[in-house]
Amino acid sequence: QVQLVESGGGLVQAGGSLRLSCTASGRTFSIYAMGWFRQAPGKEREFVEGISPSGGRTYSADSVKGRFTISRDNAKNTMYLQMNSLKPEDTAVYYCAAKAVGGFDIIFTTQGAYNVWGQGTQVTVSS
């Protein structure tokens, strides 16, 4: 089972950009469906973006559609979240998650589908 480490969080002004990375240990990254979730203070964790093991299929939450882009580089065991046009309401701890799915090129959008989680990285957007 992989272990996940997020990086790239920080403080940015509204309208700015950040790129988060999620690096996985192990040699079987390409069999994992991956996702990004976020949790703002006082709120439940919510789905942000998901990507299939091949990277050929992605899915975005309506709240970030057109502003955020998920991608992955299986050769580098890394998934990315490019966040543009950031808003104060994007402030949250961002988590990456993984689920081994073998040969199926699928995406999951619910927390319960994932069984491996990173420790989270803080993103703060100032107005």
Side-chain angles (χ1 to χ4, degrees):
Q1 171 158 297
V2 295
Q3 292 183 318
L4 306 175
V5 178
E6 302 98 333
S7 61
L11 173 64
V12 63
Q13 288 188 333
S17 298
L18 279 176
R19 189 175 81 156
L20 305 183
S21 298
C22 173
T23 301
S25 62
R27 298 179 294 174
T28 57
F29 183 67
S30 61
I31 70 169
Y32 285 82
M34 302 290 295
W36 287 101
F37 289 77
R38 68 185 181 185
Q39 188 167 20
K43 295 187 177 181
E44 294 187 353
R45 191 175 299 186
E46 65 175 1
F47 170 80
V48 177
E49 294 264 0
I51 190 165
S52 64
S54 73
R57 302 177 67 185
T58 63
Y59 189 82
S60 304
D62 287 344
S63 59
V64 304
K65 199 166 292 185
R67 299 189 298 121
F68 291 10
T69 303
I70 191 171
S71 62
R72 65 191 294 166
D73 185 339
N74 287 344
K76 295 182 178 180
N77 282 14
T78 302
M79 174 180 66
Y80 304 98
L81 183 66
Q82 178 66 45
M83 305 186 293
N84 299 328
S85 302
L86 282 160
K87 305 175 181 180
E89 51 263 44
D90 295 318
T91 295
V93 177
Y94 283 72
Y95 299 89
C96 64
K99 169 67 175 179
V101 295
F104 297 97
D105 205 36
I106 58 177
I107 302 169
F108 299 108
T109 62
T110 58
Q111 293 186 59
Y114 293 93
N115 61 345
V116 184
W117 291 84
Q119 84 288 350
T121 185
Q122 176 70 47
V123 172
T124 303
V125 184
S126 63
S127 57

